[in-house]
């Protein structure tokens, strides 16, 4: 009975005490100021370790797209200027951090065919910041460790011989049953929030679907969806396609920026 109670407490502590813009429950155990400091510190460290692109045309292009996106970010997510850095790397990636930081790797510019697709990428990454996903991720990790520690204490107090086996099983259960789906829900939410954000910023939301079709071509051999922190490309394409009727009207009311993609 005590073991069941501890497992229930673990699940309860992982439920949300806040709401995202999509209505999803969120667990927040850290302040925005703490996250902003962590994001800024991490970004400064990355700039010392990663090669920064010196290409004027590439930086101008990425900055142009980023500027169009960030002007539409709610002040509650970041009130101030955004720092945008292009890293000279073949890595197909981009990110945004609390504190108004955006990093784009030149490798992803080969996958994003135009300004609209790059707008989808930056919109998605900024979507994580808007929804405070880093706070959720850190908070859920802390809460899961607290819950597992509680279970361990109760098992130990009951002198259960198979305690190590039970704990190992619970660890896998938390990983695959809570934290990974938690990560997938973050990605799906950032896709939808990002699609709306790019549309408001004048980028064609249909480009987000094309982007993930491009991603699917280069991501062969990815793990099954249930074993990954990211949704499958097919899932993302389906969700973005279903949301398109809501984001398309936002695009029609917006003014498209003119960001010229250089030859990569």
């Amino acid at each position: 009975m005590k073991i069941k109670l501890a497992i229930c407490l673990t699940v309860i502590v992982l439920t949300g005490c806040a709401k995202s813009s999509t209505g999803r429950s969120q667990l927040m155990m850290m302040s925005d100021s703490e996250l902003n400091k962590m994001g800024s510190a991490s970004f400064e460290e990355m700039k010392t370790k990663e090669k920064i692109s010196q290409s004027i045309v590439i930086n101008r292009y990425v900055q142009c797209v980023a500027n169009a996106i960030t002007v539409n970010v709610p002040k509650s997510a970041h009130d101030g200027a955004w720092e945008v850095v292009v890293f000279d790397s073949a890595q197909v990636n981009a990110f945004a951090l609390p504190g108004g930081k955006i990093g784009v790797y030149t490798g992803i510019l080969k996958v994003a065919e135009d300004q609209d697709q790059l707008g989808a990428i930056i919109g998605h990454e900024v979507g994580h910041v808007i929804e405070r996903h880093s706070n959720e991720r850190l908070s859920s990790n802390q809460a899961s460790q607290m819950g597992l520690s509680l279970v361990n204490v109760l098992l130990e107090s009951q002198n259960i011989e198979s305690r190590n086996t039970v704990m190992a099983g619970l660890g896998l259960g938390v990983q695959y049953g809570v934290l990974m789906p938690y990560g997938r829900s973050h990605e799906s939410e950032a896709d939808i929030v990002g699609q709306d954000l790019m549309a408001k910023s004048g980028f064609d939301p249909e480009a987000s679907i094309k982007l993930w079709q491009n991603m699917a071509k280069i991501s062969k051999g990815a793990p099954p969806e249930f074993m990954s922190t990211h949704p499958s490309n097919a899932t993302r394409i389906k969700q973005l396609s279903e949301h398109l009727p809501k984001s398309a009207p936002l695009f029609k009311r917006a003014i498209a920026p003119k960001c010229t993609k250089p030859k990569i």
Side-chain angles (χ1 to χ4, degrees):
M1 180 63 70
K2 288 183 178 180
I3 296 174
K4 291 182 179 179
L5 176 61
I7 295 173
C8 289
L9 287 173
T10 302
V11 174
I12 290 171
V13 80
L14 283 172
T15 58
C17 54
K19 291 284 186 180
S20 71
S21 67
T22 63
R24 185 178 53 79
S25 294
Q26 296 178 294
L27 176 67
M28 302 292 191
M29 296 173 65
M30 305 183 72
S31 68
D32 287 343
S33 61
E34 287 178 303
L35 267 295
N36 289 343
K37 289 179 182 178
M38 291 174 64
S40 296
S42 298
F43 200 63
E44 289 303 313
E45 183 177 359
M46 287 191 69
K47 289 193 294 183
T48 65
K49 295 181 177 180
E50 300 277 354
K51 183 180 179 182
I52 296 176
S53 173
Q54 300 301 314
S55 170
I56 294 175
V57 290
I58 289 178
N59 276 277
R60 184 186 297 134
Y61 170 60
V62 173
Q63 189 72 57
C64 176
V65 174
N67 286 346
I69 291 287
T70 55
V71 73
N72 290 301
V73 173
K75 299 299 183 184
S76 57
H78 180 68
D79 187 6
W82 287 73
E83 181 181 4
V84 182
V85 173
V86 180
F87 295 102
D88 190 0
S89 169
Q91 186 177 162
V92 181
N93 206 359
F95 63 88
L97 298 174
K101 310 297 180 182
I102 296 174
V104 176
Y105 292 85
T106 53
I108 206 165
L109 300 179
K110 296 181 179 180
V111 181
E113 298 171 331
D114 52 35
Q115 68 167 20
D116 295 310
Q117 290 183 29
L118 182 57
I121 291 168
I122 295 179
H124 167 91
E125 299 303 335
V126 171
H128 283 300
V129 176
I130 292 173
E131 298 303 329
R132 294 174 168 80
H133 289 161
S134 56
N135 195 333
E136 278 193 273
R137 186 66 61 86
L138 288 169
S139 299
S140 65
N141 286 339
Q142 291 178 19
S144 65
Q145 291 304 313
M146 289 165 56
L148 288 174
S149 296
L150 176 60
V151 175
N152 187 41
V153 169
L154 288 176
L155 288 172
E156 195 171 38
S157 68
Q158 295 298 305
N159 197 27
I160 296 176
E161 294 181 0
S162 58
R163 178 170 60 89
N164 290 338
T165 302
V166 174
M167 286 303 299
L170 285 175
L172 286 173
V174 170
Q175 179 70 11
Y176 289 106
V178 179
L179 297 184
M180 281 192 172
Y182 211 42
R184 291 197 295 272
S185 68
H186 285 175
E187 291 299 321
S188 293
E189 188 168 64
D191 279 346
I192 298 305
V193 172
Q195 190 183 53
D196 285 345
L197 180 58
M198 68 179 291
K200 291 177 185 176
S201 305
F203 299 106
D204 188 349
E206 286 193 45
S208 62
I209 299 168
K210 176 59 177 173
L211 171 69
W212 286 107
Q213 290 172 339
N214 293 348
M215 288 289 192
K217 295 176 183 178
I218 65 171
S219 60
K220 295 178 180 179
E225 181 171 340
F226 79 93
M227 294 183 67
S228 174
T229 57
H230 288 58
S232 67
N233 293 314
T235 296
R236 303 183 96 139
I237 291 169
K238 179 176 181 293
Q239 291 172 340
L240 287 165
S241 298
E242 290 173 348
H243 189 71
L244 191 60
K246 294 183 179 180
S247 59
L250 300 175
F251 173 59
K252 290 181 180 179
R253 295 195 295 267
I255 298 176
K258 297 181 180 179
C259 306
T260 304
K261 181 182 179 180
K263 291 182 179 181
I264 308 297

